[in-house]
Amino acid sequence: MIIYWDKKTNSKNRIGQRVKELRKAHNLTQKTLAAKLQLAGYDVNDLAILRIEQGTRFVPDYEVVALAEVFNVSCEYLLGLTDAPAK
């Protein structure tokens, strides 16, 4: 498992801000996003989504992939490596 840590912001993940932006752009609540991930087979609840967005939760690589699939964006976009969201 790979754990991403943003040393510049002292955040435990690099994707929190993008997840929040994408969730709001798709008009999803944290609970609804968690439900979508649960339907895809991931054990994520709304508290986990909140902690991801706040940067207080580590996000394993398989969850980065899952979130990218839910939002139909690339993992690189979620990680802030590109500003182009398309896959």
Side-chain angles (χ1 to χ4, degrees), residues 7 11 20 32 42 46 50 69-70 72 76 78 87:
K7 293 178 183 168
S11 176
K20 186 175 184 175
T32 305
Y42 298 95
D46 55 331
L50 172 67
E69 288 175 357
V70 165
N72 196 33
E76 291 81 6
L78 278 181
K87 284 188 171 184

Side-chain angles (χ1 to χ4, degrees), residues 3 6 12 15-16 18-19 22 24-25 29-30 34 36 44 51-53 60 62-65 69 71 75 81 84-85:
I3 297 175
D6 191 343
K12 292 184 179 177
I15 68 170
R18 289 256 164 109
V19 169
L22 288 165
K24 288 183 174 189
T29 64
Q30 291 169 340
K36 285 180 169 277
V44 178
R51 291 180 65 210
I52 289 170
E53 290 180 0
Y62 62 89
E63 288 180 357
V64 173
V65 172
E69 288 175 357
F71 290 122
C75 292
L81 301 175

Side-chain angles (χ1 to χ4, degrees), residues 28-40:
L28 298 173
T29 64
Q30 291 169 340
K31 191 171 203 149
T32 305
L33 176 55
K36 285 180 169 277
L37 289 165
Q38 289 169 2
L39 287 172

